[in-house]
PDB file of all heavy atoms in Angstrom:
ATOM      1  N   ARG A 290      19.159  17.712  -3.415  1.00 89.00           N
ATOM      2  CA  ARG A 290      20.009  17.828  -2.178  1.00 89.00           C
ATOM      3  C   ARG A 290      20.991  18.962  -2.241  1.00 89.00           C
ATOM      4  O   ARG A 290      21.020  19.812  -1.338  1.00 89.00           O
ATOM      5  CB  ARG A 290      20.659  16.490  -1.843  1.00 89.00           C
ATOM      6  CG  ARG A 290      21.369  16.462  -0.506  1.00 89.00           C
ATOM      7  CD  ARG A 290      22.388  15.466  -0.400  1.00 89.00           C
ATOM      8  NE  ARG A 290      23.579  15.753  -1.153  1.00 89.00           N
ATOM      9  CZ  ARG A 290      24.686  14.913  -1.288  1.00 89.00           C
ATOM     10  NH1 ARG A 290      24.641  13.793  -0.606  1.00 89.00           N
ATOM     11  NH2 ARG A 290      25.657  15.307  -1.946  1.00 89.00           N
ATOM     12  N   ASP A 291      21.874  18.947  -3.272  1.00 92.00           N
ATOM     13  CA  ASP A 291      22.876  19.940  -3.356  1.00 92.00           C
ATOM     14  C   ASP A 291      22.356  21.362  -3.484  1.00 92.00           C
ATOM     15  O   ASP A 291      22.862  22.311  -2.869  1.00 92.00           O
ATOM     16  CB  ASP A 291      23.821  19.616  -4.556  1.00 92.00           C
ATOM     17  CG  ASP A 291      24.702  18.465  -4.353  1.00 92.00           C
ATOM     18  OD1 ASP A 291      24.634  17.823  -3.215  1.00 92.00           O
ATOM     19  OD2 ASP A 291      25.506  18.087  -5.201  1.00 92.00           O
ATOM     20  N   ALA A 292      21.190  21.558  -4.188  1.00 92.00           N
ATOM     21  CA  ALA A 292      20.698  22.915  -4.336  1.00 92.00           C
ATOM     22  C   ALA A 292      20.155  23.383  -3.033  1.00 92.00           C
ATOM     23  O   ALA A 292      20.307  24.589  -2.616  1.00 92.00           O
ATOM     24  CB  ALA A 292      19.586  22.840  -5.377  1.00 92.00           C
ATOM     25  N   LEU A 293      19.521  22.476  -2.288  1.00 93.00           N
ATOM     26  CA  LEU A 293      18.904  22.856  -0.937  1.00 93.00           C
ATOM     27  C   LEU A 293      20.060  23.190   0.069  1.00 93.00           C
ATOM     28  O   LEU A 293      19.981  24.150   0.840  1.00 93.00           O
ATOM     29  CB  LEU A 293      18.108  21.762  -0.457  1.00 93.00           C
ATOM     30  CG  LEU A 293      17.113  22.036   0.687  1.00 93.00           C
ATOM     31  CD1 LEU A 293      16.305  23.313   0.443  1.00 93.00           C
ATOM     32  CD2 LEU A 293      16.248  20.887   1.002  1.00 93.00           C
ATOM     33  N   VAL A 294      21.094  22.381   0.088  1.00 94.00           N
ATOM     34  CA  VAL A 294      22.214  22.561   0.921  1.00 94.00           C
ATOM     35  C   VAL A 294      22.839  23.958   0.675  1.00 94.00           C
ATOM     36  O   VAL A 294      23.243  24.758   1.574  1.00 94.00           O
ATOM     37  CB  VAL A 294      23.210  21.417   0.936  1.00 94.00           C
ATOM     38  CG1 VAL A 294      24.503  21.733   1.605  1.00 94.00           C
ATOM     39  CG2 VAL A 294      22.613  20.177   1.554  1.00 94.00           C
ATOM     40  N   LEU A 295      23.152  24.234  -0.596  1.00 94.00           N
ATOM     41  CA  LEU A 295      23.754  25.488  -0.993  1.00 94.00           C
ATOM     42  C   LEU A 295      22.905  26.700  -0.526  1.00 94.00           C
ATOM     43  O   LEU A 295      23.416  27.709  -0.028  1.00 94.00           O
ATOM     44  CB  LEU A 295      23.961  25.578  -2.479  1.00 94.00           C
ATOM     45  CG  LEU A 295      24.668  26.846  -2.995  1.00 94.00           C
ATOM     46  CD1 LEU A 295      26.077  26.961  -2.358  1.00 94.00           C
ATOM     47  CD2 LEU A 295      24.810  26.759  -4.490  1.00 94.00           C
ATOM     48  N   ARG A 296      21.605  26.585  -0.692  1.00 94.00           N
ATOM     49  CA  ARG A 296      20.699  27.694  -0.278  1.00 94.00           C
ATOM     50  C   ARG A 296      20.781  27.836   1.221  1.00 94.00           C
ATOM     51  O   ARG A 296      20.764  28.957   1.757  1.00 94.00           O
ATOM     52  CB  ARG A 296      19.268  27.378  -0.770  1.00 94.00           C
ATOM     53  CG  ARG A 296      19.068  27.746  -2.212  1.00 94.00           C
ATOM     54  CD  ARG A 296      17.808  27.156  -2.785  1.00 94.00           C
ATOM     55  NE  ARG A 296      17.517  27.596  -4.107  1.00 94.00           N
ATOM     56  CZ  ARG A 296      18.116  27.099  -5.175  1.00 94.00           C
ATOM     57  NH1 ARG A 296      19.001  26.211  -5.122  1.00 94.00           N
ATOM     58  NH2 ARG A 296      17.844  27.556  -6.407  1.00 94.00           N
ATOM     59  N   GLY A 297      20.895  26.736   1.953  1.00 93.00           N
ATOM     60  CA  GLY A 297      21.084  26.835   3.381  1.00 93.00           C
ATOM     61  C   GLY A 297      22.322  27.484   3.770  1.00 93.00           C
ATOM     62  O   GLY A 297      22.416  28.349   4.705  1.00 93.00           O
ATOM     63  N   ALA A 298      23.418  27.226   3.125  1.00 94.00           N
ATOM     64  CA  ALA A 298      24.729  27.786   3.373  1.00 94.00           C
ATOM     65  C   ALA A 298      24.695  29.314   3.062  1.00 94.00           C
ATOM     66  O   ALA A 298      25.272  30.110   3.826  1.00 94.00           O
ATOM     67  CB  ALA A 298      25.805  27.108   2.540  1.00 94.00           C
ATOM     68  N   ILE A 299      24.046  29.686   2.002  1.00 95.00           N
ATOM     69  CA  ILE A 299      23.968  31.122   1.640  1.00 95.00           C
ATOM     70  C   ILE A 299      23.157  31.901   2.738  1.00 95.00           C
ATOM     71  O   ILE A 299      23.561  33.059   3.153  1.00 95.00           O
ATOM     72  CB  ILE A 299      23.320  31.273   0.318  1.00 95.00           C
ATOM     73  CG1 ILE A 299      24.243  30.742  -0.787  1.00 95.00           C
ATOM     74  CG2 ILE A 299      22.971  32.724  -0.027  1.00 95.00           C
ATOM     75  CD1 ILE A 299      23.651  30.711  -2.179  1.00 95.00           C
ATOM     76  N   LEU A 300      22.001  31.295   3.130  1.00 95.00           N
ATOM     77  CA  LEU A 300      21.213  31.969   4.159  1.00 95.00           C
ATOM     78  C   LEU A 300      21.975  32.058   5.454  1.00 95.00           C
ATOM     79  O   LEU A 300      21.901  33.131   6.159  1.00 95.00           O
ATOM     80  CB  LEU A 300      19.946  31.185   4.452  1.00 95.00           C
ATOM     81  CG  LEU A 300      18.889  31.774   5.337  1.00 95.00           C
ATOM     82  CD1 LEU A 300      18.462  33.232   4.901  1.00 95.00           C
ATOM     83  CD2 LEU A 300      17.681  30.840   5.543  1.00 95.00           C
ATOM     84  N   GLN A 301      22.741  31.045   5.868  1.00 94.00           N
ATOM     85  CA  GLN A 301      23.553  31.085   6.999  1.00 94.00           C
ATOM     86  C   GLN A 301      24.653  32.171   6.908  1.00 94.00           C
ATOM     87  O   GLN A 301      24.913  32.970   7.871  1.00 94.00           O
ATOM     88  CB  GLN A 301      24.204  29.794   7.285  1.00 94.00           C
ATOM     89  CG  GLN A 301      25.120  29.720   8.470  1.00 94.00           C
ATOM     90  CD  GLN A 301      24.385  29.743   9.822  1.00 94.00           C
ATOM     91  OE1 GLN A 301      23.225  29.328   9.864  1.00 94.00           O
ATOM     92  NE2 GLN A 301      24.977  30.269  10.870  1.00 94.00           N
ATOM     93  N   ALA A 302      25.247  32.332   5.744  1.00 94.00           N
ATOM     94  CA  ALA A 302      26.285  33.310   5.579  1.00 94.00           C
ATOM     95  C   ALA A 302      25.689  34.787   5.709  1.00 94.00           C
ATOM     96  O   ALA A 302      26.277  35.654   6.289  1.00 94.00           O
ATOM     97  CB  ALA A 302      26.856  33.158   4.166  1.00 94.00           C
ATOM     98  N   VAL A 303      24.504  34.921   5.133  1.00 95.00           N
ATOM     99  CA  VAL A 303      23.774  36.279   5.367  1.00 95.00           C
ATOM    100  C   VAL A 303      23.511  36.602   6.730  1.00 95.00           C
ATOM    101  O   VAL A 303      23.796  37.693   7.288  1.00 95.00           O
ATOM    102  CB  VAL A 303      22.532  36.292   4.448  1.00 95.00           C
ATOM    103  CG1 VAL A 303      21.747  37.595   4.759  1.00 95.00           C
ATOM    104  CG2 VAL A 303      22.824  36.214   3.000  1.00 95.00           C
ATOM    105  N   ALA A 304      23.019  35.526   7.506  1.00 94.00           N
ATOM    106  CA  ALA A 304      22.728  35.795   8.897  1.00 94.00           C
ATOM    107  C   ALA A 304      23.942  36.096   9.724  1.00 94.00           C
ATOM    108  O   ALA A 304      23.961  37.070  10.565  1.00 94.00           O
ATOM    109  CB  ALA A 304      22.105  34.533   9.510  1.00 94.00           C
ATOM    110  N   MET A 305      25.099  35.470   9.440  1.00 93.00           N
ATOM    111  CA  MET A 305      26.317  35.785  10.101  1.00 93.00           C
ATOM    112  C   MET A 305      26.917  37.131   9.743  1.00 93.00           C
ATOM    113  O   MET A 305      27.406  37.844  10.532  1.00 93.00           O
ATOM    114  CB  MET A 305      27.331  34.654   9.753  1.00 93.00           C
ATOM    115  CG  MET A 305      26.997  33.309  10.376  1.00 93.00           C
ATOM    116  SD  MET A 305      28.073  31.988   9.651  1.00 93.00           S
ATOM    117  CE  MET A 305      29.674  32.472  10.317  1.00 93.00           C
ATOM    118  N   ALA A 306      26.711  37.512   8.440  1.00 93.00           N
ATOM    119  CA  ALA A 306      27.183  38.876   8.061  1.00 93.00           C
ATOM    120  C   ALA A 306      26.409  39.930   8.784  1.00 93.00           C
ATOM    121  O   ALA A 306      26.994  40.973   9.174  1.00 93.00           O
ATOM    122  CB  ALA A 306      27.063  38.990   6.523  1.00 93.00           C
ATOM    123  N   VAL A 307      25.120  39.814   8.850  1.00 94.00           N
ATOM    124  CA  VAL A 307      24.261  40.751   9.603  1.00 94.00           C
ATOM    125  C   VAL A 307      24.670  40.851  11.093  1.00 94.00           C
ATOM    126  O   VAL A 307      24.843  41.942  11.652  1.00 94.00           O
ATOM    127  CB  VAL A 307      22.799  40.374   9.514  1.00 94.00           C
ATOM    128  CG1 VAL A 307      21.936  41.310  10.408  1.00 94.00           C
ATOM    129  CG2 VAL A 307      22.304  40.527   8.139  1.00 94.00           C
ATOM    130  N   MET A 308      24.969  39.663  11.698  1.00 92.00           N
ATOM    131  CA  MET A 308      25.404  39.690  13.129  1.00 92.00           C
ATOM    132  C   MET A 308      26.725  40.364  13.303  1.00 92.00           C
ATOM    133  O   MET A 308      27.055  40.965  14.336  1.00 92.00           O
ATOM    134  CB  MET A 308      25.439  38.194  13.621  1.00 92.00           C
ATOM    135  CG  MET A 308      24.063  37.616  13.830  1.00 92.00           C
ATOM    136  SD  MET A 308      23.032  38.463  14.990  1.00 92.00           S
ATOM    137  CE  MET A 308      23.941  38.151  16.531  1.00 92.00           C
ATOM    138  N   ALA A 309      27.611  40.263  12.286  1.00 91.00           N
ATOM    139  CA  ALA A 309      28.924  40.885  12.263  1.00 91.00           C
ATOM    140  C   ALA A 309      28.811  42.440  12.214  1.00 91.00           C
ATOM    141  O   ALA A 309      29.658  43.061  12.783  1.00 91.00           O
ATOM    142  CB  ALA A 309      29.748  40.384  11.184  1.00 91.00           C
TER     143      ALA A 309
END
Side-chain angles (χ1 to χ4, degrees):
R290 187 199 73 181
D291 286 1
L293 195 52
V294 168
L295 181 59
R296 282 164 172 77
I299 293 173
L300 185 57
Q301 178 71 27
V303 171
M305 292 169 65
V307 171
M308 291 298 295

